[in-house]
Amino acid sequence: MAVKSILVTGGLGFIGSHTCVTLAQAGFRLAIVDNLSNAKRSVLDRIRALAQGEIDFHEADIRDRPALDRAIGRAAVDAVIHFAGLKAVGESVEKPLLYYDNNVGGTVTLMQAMAAAGVRRMVFSSSATVYGEPIRLPITEDHPLRPQSPYGQTKLIVEQMLADEARADDRFRYAALRYFNPIGAHPSGGLGEDPNGIPNNLLPFVSQVATGLRPAVRVFGQDYDTHDGTGVRDYIHVMDLAAGHLAALRFLEAANASVTVNLGTGNGYSVLDVIRAYERASGRPIPVDMSPRRPGDVASCYAAPALAAERLGWRAQFGIDEMCRDAWAWARKNSGS
Ligand code: NAD
Ligand code: UD1
C-alpha cells in the first residue's frame, strides 16, 4: 500500500520534530498530535519553516479518544508514527502510574482509534533501555529484555502489544525502533533539543556548559571498565534517526512483515570522548568536574546495527563530530552566546 498521510504523535518533541521535517521534505502529508507536555508550540513554526509540506497540528492528548478520532478521520491517515510518551527514567521510578497511564494507556487508546479507522501501520519509538544492563556487546536484537525502570517497562509492554495486535490481525504491521542515545540537531540550527530545567542527559548539559549557562560538566564515574574509565554509549545523530523513520515507513509500505530493530551507529564513545568532540566543534573549553558514578548507570552500551541495515536498508551516516557540530550550532543560536 502507498503511505502518504501520516499521523505523528509527539511530533513537536525532540525526535518527532526532526522526523517531521524529513518526512514533509519526502512528500508526506503530516498531522501532528501533541499535548505540549514537553514541547513548545513555537516548534511547529520551526518545522514549517524548514519543510514546506502540508502539516496540520492538533493540540491533544493521545489518551483523548475523540480527539484522536477527529485527527485520524480528518487526515485520512495511512500510518502512525508514535513518539508521544514520557521519557525521564528517574521520574518514572517516582511516578510509575503516570508512566503506565501515559505511555501504555495512551498507546492502547491510540491503537483502538487506529483499529476503528482501519489504520494498520505503526512506527513506534522504543528504546535500548528495553535491554537493561547489557550482558554482551554489541547489543543485538535477540539480547534478553530486562528493563530496569517503569519507563523501560512501558516500552517493552508496548512492543508486546504491537506483536499481539499483529498476531490477531494479519493486516497490521509495525516497526519498533530501539533508539540508542539520540543527540545533535537539525544542521540548519533551526531545530534542536530544548529540555526543561536541568538536563539529565549528557549532551544538553555539555551544551549548557559551552554556552556558559553552567560552570562544568559532572563526569559520572572514572573507574568503569572502558578505554578511559568513563561511561561509553552509542550516540546517534537525530537526523540519522529521522532517516530511520523514513526507512521504516518504506519498509511497511513494501514488506509483508513487521520489524523490531536497533537504531544506533555501532560505535561507542566515552563521556570524555564526547566532551573533547564538543570542544573541537565549539572551539570552547568545557570544564569537567570528576564526580561519583550515577546510580543505575552501566559501563558500556552500544548497538549491533546490522539488522536495521539488512531489513530497512538504513545505516547511520553521521559521526560524533557532526553530532557535536550541529548540537553546538543549535545551542549557540538559542542561547544568544
Ligand atoms: P520529547 O519529550 O522531546 O517528545 C515527546 C513528545 O510527546 C513531546 O512533544 C510531548 O509534549 C509529547 N507527549 C507526551 N505525552 C503525550 C501525550 N499523552 N499526548 C500527546 N503528546 C504527548 O522526547 P523525544 O526525545 O523526542 O522522544 C520521543 C520518543 O522516543 C519517546 O517515546 C521516547 O520515550 C522515545 N525515546 C527517546 C530517547 C531519547 O533519548 N530522546 C531514547 C529512546 C527512546
Ligand atoms: C539515559 C536513559 C535512557 C535513555 C537515554 C537517552 C537512564 C538510566 N537511562 O541513558 O533510558 O534512553 O538517556 O535519553 O537514565 N553523564 C555524565 N554527566 C552528566 C550526564 C551524563 O557523565 O551530566 C554520563 C552518564 O553517566 C553516561 C553518559 O554520560 O555514561 C550518557 O548519559 P545520558 O545522556 O544520561 O544517557 P544514558 O544514561 O545512556
Side-chain angles (χ1 to χ4, degrees), residues 10 12-16 33-39 60-63 83-87 102 125-127 151 155 179-180 182:
L12 298 192
F14 172 45
I15 304 167
V33 170
D34 198 303
N35 67 357
L36 303 180
S37 60
N38 197 35
D61 195 295
I62 55 166
R63 291 164 292 186
F83 294 103
L86 299 174
K87 62 169 183 174
N102 198 82
S125 297
S126 190
S127 168
Y151 166 68
K155 291 293 168 189
Y179 313 152
F180 278 66

Side-chain angles (χ1 to χ4, degrees), residues 89 129 181 200-202 218-220 233 235 271 294 297:
V89 174
T129 199
N181 287 57
N200 289 315
N201 295 122
L202 178 64
R218 283 184 301 158
V219 177
F220 295 140
R233 296 290 183 276
Y235 297 96
V271 175
R294 184 172 66 174
D297 276 353

Side-chain angles (χ1 to χ4, degrees), residues 103-187:
N103 294 6
V104 178
T107 307
V108 171
T109 303
L110 174 64
M111 289 173 67
Q112 286 170 333
M114 289 171 63
V119 180
R120 296 191 183 85
R121 300 287 181 274
M122 185 193 280
V123 179
F124 171 60
S125 297
S126 190
S127 168
T129 199
V130 296
Y131 297 117
E133 183 162 356
I135 57 170
R136 52 174 187 266
L137 291 167
I139 298 178
T140 47
E141 287 78 356
D142 60 359
H143 184 284
L145 302 174
R146 289 188 300 218
Q148 306 289 307
S149 68
Y151 166 68
Q153 288 289 357
T154 68
K155 291 293 168 189
L156 184 54
I157 291 169
V158 172
E159 284 196 9
Q160 290 165 342
M161 277 167 36
L162 290 165
D164 286 341
E165 181 66 2
R167 270 189 287 272
D169 177 353
D170 64 7
R171 294 164 299 178
F172 182 81
R173 310 254 184 283
Y174 68 90
L177 306 179
R178 294 177 178 160
Y179 313 152
F180 278 66
N181 287 57
I183 62 170
H186 194 272

